[in-house]
Amino acid sequence: MINTASVLLDGVSYGMLLFLFSIGLSITLGLMRFVNLAHGAFAMIGGYVTVSLVNLLGVPFLLTLPAAFAVSGVVGFVLERVVIHRVYREPELQQVLFSIGLAFAASALATIVFGPQQQPIALPSWLAQRISLLGVPVGASRVFLIGVAAVAAVLLVLLFNRTLFGARIRAAVDNRRAAEGIGVRVGRLFAVTFALGAAMAGLGGALAVDSLGLDPTMPFKYLIPVLMVVVIGGPGSIPGSLVASLVLGVVDTMFKYAVPDVGPFVVYALLVGMLLAFPRGLAAIRA
Amino acid sequence: MTAALESRNLAVRYGHFSAVGGVDLAIAPGARHALIGPNGAGKTTLVHALTGNVAATAGSVHLDGEDITHLAQPARVRKGLARTFQINQLFRSQTVLENVLLAVFERQRATRAFWRSATGDRRAIAEAREHIALVNLASLADQPVHRLAYGQQRMVEIAIALATRPRVLILDEPAAGVPTTESAVIFERLEALPREMTLIFVEHDMNLVFRFAERITVLVAGKVLTEGTPAEISADERVREVYLGRRGHHAA
């Protein structure tokens, strides 16, 4: 029973990481119709920022999280303004080829700079300890991770649904021409949105170093589950992505523990089943 | 006097096809100026080039004497050059009020922070309601725009354009797709706009043009054929030939 609870917590924390990894991709796909297979590279950037700051400069882990968020966001913004915005008008195949190339380049660059090995990270003692949650002993880092991701998710929903920034984004997606007609600089707005998605992935990458590890294959290792989240959750839907991430994370972790031989394949069966039942994703159910 | 909106030798070419071929326009402040011409004369392309929806191949555009040729459309909107489209461009899932409110917010952008609530600003809401009242839609302000009749949607688009506080407003066929009985209503609302606002409109219905325009520019094959008062235009033999043609004479 205790074991089940801790596996469940592992699943939720993995799901939260998937959410942070995928939300930017979901937003750029839903809003700009851009298939960005290089999105995982932003998670990798965030991971390396945290690892470098902690291991080389001795910066406290907690302070590296905003740094990972900011650096990934800035890289995302610059990349969008310099190259990626040119690809929006291209057909999907061009976008896929371009972005997968970008992912390979990022991976190769990471290998040159940091080497091919796994990056170790020493968490501060308050995160490395086990704490008791309702009588169940759990890793403090898991609880912390879930908390941070949950706060990020709530802030993101508020930003998109309640603020002027969100209203502008929704307007630009609804009718780009009309948005420009009232003076919205849609190009710059999309760059900021793209950067926000990259920053979320960077935060996820930084939080993931401890539980998922970090090496130059990062942009590819979680590409499949991330794409599954986007497909199941429905592109552009924040709540859809959150639910899909959590379901995927919990199911995957549960089956890997329970039946290690077939566990890893269960999520694919889940994907097929979901697509047969709801071809347009969870977000389309309510609509 | 500096023209409110001016184009000098403005041209838009697509490959070898010249849609607009060197147009000189000078629209006086406060004008009620119509652009007319047969189908394919380049009226809409000219409007696009004036407002920045398409890039000019050659020539320049000046707003109150300032060269705006190289500004993108959103930048021109902020300088006071707004437009409406031939086909409604609205945020269809939102209410009339939200549509207009967004334009009010966008204009105030410099003084506001992005995290501000989009629906909690009473002064902005009051202003948006004024624009809506001006186009006679006050009772429908809280309806989603897709529920409105087409002619009412056209009025919403005008209210949105007004919310950008334009000095120059270009209307591309403001009454297109609207029954004739309602199209005069739209023009009557336009006529009631402040006199200092410069209005330029493209319109096919000659009765409306001669009733509301104070000056008329006739475009043929991407070039200005002539410009003048409604009386001059209707008396012009060339205009009658290429444009009014066999449809007979339309008195002012």
Side-chain angles (χ1 to χ4, degrees):
Chain A
M1 195 58 225
I2 283 173
N3 196 34
T4 312
S6 91
V7 169
L8 188 67
L9 197 74
D10 272 358
V12 172
S13 82
Y14 177 49
M16 282 304 207
L17 286 177
L18 286 181
F19 171 72
L20 289 177
F21 289 169
S22 62
I23 189 62
L25 178 60
S26 173
I27 292 171
T28 46
L29 191 62
L31 303 196
M32 291 89 116
R33 310 251 167 261
F34 175 54
V35 189
N36 182 20
L37 297 187
H39 190 69
F42 295 117
M44 182 179 75
I45 291 171
Y48 279 116
V49 167
T50 282
V51 164
S52 305
L53 288 177
V54 169
N55 293 351
L56 299 179
L57 299 175
V59 177
F61 176 74
L62 209 53
L63 293 183
T64 69
L65 296 180
F69 181 86
V71 171
S72 305
V74 169
V75 172
F77 184 83
V78 172
L79 215 56
E80 204 276 349
R81 285 282 79 179
V82 177
V83 283
I84 289 175
H85 77 99
R86 294 166 207 276
V87 193
Y88 289 156
R89 272 161 291 168
E90 303 289 331
E92 282 90 347
L93 181 63
Q94 306 282 348
Q95 297 184 355
V96 165
L97 292 176
F98 172 82
S99 63
I100 201 82
L102 215 57
F104 275 111
S107 180
L109 197 66
T111 311
I112 293 169
V113 177
F114 298 98
Q117 73 280 9
Q118 281 283 334
Q119 298 291 328
I121 188 164
L123 290 184
S125 55
W126 60 273
L127 274 181
Q129 67 181 334
R130 294 189 80 76
I131 56 171
S132 171
L133 196 72
L134 302 173
V136 184
V138 293
S141 61
R142 298 283 190 277
V143 179
F144 175 73
L145 190 163
I146 292 169
V148 170
V151 168
V154 169
L155 287 180
L156 210 56
V157 169
L158 289 178
L159 182 69
F160 272 83
N161 292 348
R162 291 268 177 276
T163 69
L164 198 52
F165 174 80
R168 244 190 231 146
I169 289 276
R170 280 177 285 129
V173 171
D174 193 358
N175 189 335
R176 179 176 185 143
R177 207 177 213 189
E180 286 181 334
I182 59 170
V184 177
R185 280 179 288 197
V186 174
R188 216 184 54 167
L189 189 65
F190 279 180
V192 172
T193 311
F194 186 91
L196 187 66
M200 292 301 249
L203 177 65
L207 289 168
V209 179
D210 174 51
S211 54
L212 302 181
L214 174 66
D215 65 51
T217 65
M218 180 90 183
F220 305 105
K221 212 191 267 175
Y222 298 99
L223 184 57
I224 301 297
V226 160
L227 288 175
M228 285 166 73
V229 167
V230 174
V231 167
I232 295 175
S237 162
I238 299 170
S241 289
L242 185 61
V243 172
S245 301
L246 289 175
V247 169
L248 215 61
V250 169
V251 170
D252 194 34
T253 310
M254 286 280 193
F255 277 93
K256 276 178 180 162
Y257 270 99
V259 269
D261 290 339
V262 295
F265 302 101
V266 171
V267 282
Y268 297 102
L270 182 76
L271 173 68
V272 172
M274 278 294 305
L275 285 182
L276 287 175
F278 313 109
R280 302 185 57 201
L282 290 177
I285 297 174
R286 270 176 307 165
Chain B
M1 185 163 58
T2 315
L5 187 68
E6 188 181 356
S7 74
R8 293 181 199 151
N9 198 28
L10 189 65
V12 179
R13 279 189 288 276
Y14 299 105
H16 291 295
F17 174 67
S18 175
V20 176
V23 167
D24 291 304
L25 271 185
I27 316 279
R32 300 290 182 262
H33 198 115
L35 286 175
I36 66 170
N39 280 329
K43 302 181 295 289
T44 291
T45 310
L46 175 60
V47 168
H48 282 332
L50 290 171
T51 56
N53 292 93
V54 303
T57 318
S60 59
V61 183
H62 305 260
L63 184 66
D64 280 333
E66 183 188 353
D67 189 341
I68 57 166
T69 317
H70 301 289
L71 295 181
Q73 198 208 352
R76 295 189 199 195
V77 172
R78 292 203 203 117
K79 296 247 178 224
L81 174 60
R83 71 165 297 178
T84 64
F85 290 85
Q86 236 176 66
I87 296 160
N88 283 332
Q89 299 292 337
L90 298 163
F91 308 116
R92 295 184 57 79
S93 56
Q94 307 204 359
T95 67
V96 174
L97 181 64
E98 284 164 344
N99 267 269
V100 179
L101 196 53
L102 205 57
V104 174
F105 282 140
E106 212 44 51
R107 194 194 71 234
Q108 299 175 338
R109 156 204 50 92
T111 58
R112 327 182 88 263
F114 73 89
W115 59 81
R116 288 283 292 273
S117 164
T119 48
D121 188 326
R122 288 202 186 147
R123 271 172 62 189
I125 290 172
E127 190 201 317
R129 285 193 187 277
E130 274 173 35
H131 295 303
I132 294 167
L134 204 60
V135 294
N136 266 354
L137 291 178
S139 59
L140 298 167
D142 297 309
Q143 295 284 322
V145 286
H146 64 80
R147 289 233 195 104
L148 270 56
Y150 192 79
Q152 291 168 332
Q153 292 186 13
R154 304 245 60 176
M155 301 301 274
V156 176
E157 212 195 328
I158 292 168
I160 291 173
L162 291 177
T164 69
R165 292 246 175 97
R167 286 177 287 165
V168 178
L169 175 58
I170 306 184
L171 305 125
D172 193 357
E173 297 194 34
V178 177
T180 330
T181 46
E182 287 173 44
S183 56
V185 177
I186 291 181
F187 272 89
E188 275 155 22
R189 295 318 302 177
L190 291 175
E191 209 174 31
L193 293 177
R195 267 318 301 202
E196 61 272 20
M197 195 185 289
T198 307
L199 295 185
I200 302 165
F201 55 93
V202 174
E203 185 50 59
H204 273 297
D205 186 329
M206 285 307 121
N207 289 319
L208 291 172
V209 169
F210 285 104
R211 188 163 146 206
F212 292 102
E214 292 163 359
R215 286 196 78 78
I216 299 171
T217 294
V218 184
L219 277 182
V220 175
K223 289 192 159 67
V224 175
L225 179 73
T226 182
E227 190 202 308
T229 63
E232 287 164 359
I233 294 300
S234 63
D236 193 311
E237 279 302 321
R238 292 170 304 164
V239 177
R240 219 177 299 173
E241 224 168 90
V242 301
Y243 190 76
L244 302 175
R246 300 185 187 91
R247 280 198 265 159
H249 181 80
H250 292 244

